[in-house]
Amino acid sequence: MTRSLRTGAVAVAALAASFALTACGSDDPKKDSDADAPASATPGAGGGEGSGESGGGSIDAAALEGTWVGLTDGKNVTVSIASRKVALVADQSVCQGDVKDMGGEPMLALKCTDGGTERTMGAIDSVDGSKLVVSWDGGAKDTLAKAEAGKLPSGMPSLPDLGDLPEVPAP
């Protein structure tokens, strides 16, 4: 019971942190809508047009910005990316790191607090305005949906009923 409470608390704290990262934005709707639009390739980045999607073109790191949520093997996975910084919560692992340019393509390079290695280097298979697919060197492949800023994602499992917890005695 204590382990599930601890796991739930870690997941809630990580979700709160990821929403805090993505909630930072402008009050100007024009600026916010421009930030969500796919960016074109930067000059000198190898030419061609980058749409933010894979499929022959390069992936623009700006297309990764936001909070992405989903289930992999029935377990919650949350990835939050802001200003090329990455926070990830998957099962009982909490990882952080950076978006790195590796051979002209962005990769997620993370270090996990529990020493886990399943999700430490992630290749972006595809990204668009609503879906992110990441293949990890440890073998996992996450397909994640973009979460709306300031809203909890729908369709995710909830915390277990905590009604059976003993009361803490008053000091």
Side-chain angles (χ1 to χ4, degrees):
M1 174 68 92
T2 303
R3 184 174 182 196
S4 65
L5 179 60
R6 217 175 323 139
T7 301
V10 167
V12 168
L15 279 173
S18 67
F19 286 123
L21 280 173
T22 59
C24 298
S26 167
D27 289 339
D28 183 0
K30 174 80 172 125
K31 281 186 179 178
D32 287 342
S33 65
D34 287 345
D36 291 341
S40 60
T42 56
E49 292 183 26
S51 66
E53 296 182 25
S54 66
S58 65
I59 297 172
D60 186 3
L64 301 173
E65 295 274 325
T67 298
W68 305 87
V69 295
L71 295 174
T72 300
D73 297 329
K75 302 195 182 205
N76 291 330
V77 177
T78 301
V79 176
S80 186
I81 303 171
S83 301
R84 300 185 67 88
K85 297 292 183 189
V86 182
L88 174 137
V89 178
D91 192 20
Q92 295 181 4
S93 294
V94 177
C95 311
Q96 63 183 6
D98 300 294
V99 176
K100 302 275 187 183
D101 287 323
M102 305 279 190
E105 296 292 328
M107 302 265 304
L108 305 182
L110 308 178
K111 184 171 183 173
C112 300
T113 57
D114 64 356
T117 58
E118 185 177 10
R119 289 181 173 90
T120 55
M121 185 60 72
I124 310 302
D125 291 343
S126 65
V127 62
D128 61 27
S130 62
K131 186 170 90 170
L132 170 66
V133 180
V134 182
S135 291
W136 298 96
D137 282 356
K141 184 171 186 171
D142 297 324
T143 300
L144 308 169
K146 191 163 194 174
E148 289 185 52
K151 294 187 179 183
L152 292 174
S154 61
M156 300 299 288
S158 61
L159 290 174
D161 180 24
L162 302 176
D164 297 342
L165 293 175
E167 290 189 34
V168 177

